Amino acid sequence: MSTTTAWLLVALSAVVTAAIKAAGPLALGGRELPAWCTAVIAAMPAALLSALVVTSALADGTHWHVGPDTAGVAVAGIALWRGVSVVAGVLIAAGVTALLRAVA
């Protein structure tokens, strides 16, 4: 992909994002959202973050794979779920990944 194509893609993404953000207030016209809609919107950041983490942990360029980095993320996820700090979670992920890469 050329530099020009990449910048055109970034600009198009910005325009589409602005259009989507403007569509909500225009469609609602100052009315309140229903409670079920607010609940769905509140759950979106967690779902999007999960999708990014899964894609990052399982994707290697154009192929899906499970490797040392996937195991590192899984172990760190369990540690974070058990209550360790984020810094400790990152260190655990890096340590497990490095250990498995050294062994393999």
Side-chain angles (χ1 to χ4, degrees), residues 19 36 102:
W36 65 270

Side-chain angles (χ1 to χ4, degrees), residues 35-58:
W36 65 270
C37 190
T38 305
V40 169
I41 291 171
M44 282 180 157
L48 290 173
L49 180 61
S50 299
L52 289 171
V53 167
V54 167
T55 302
S56 176
L58 296 177

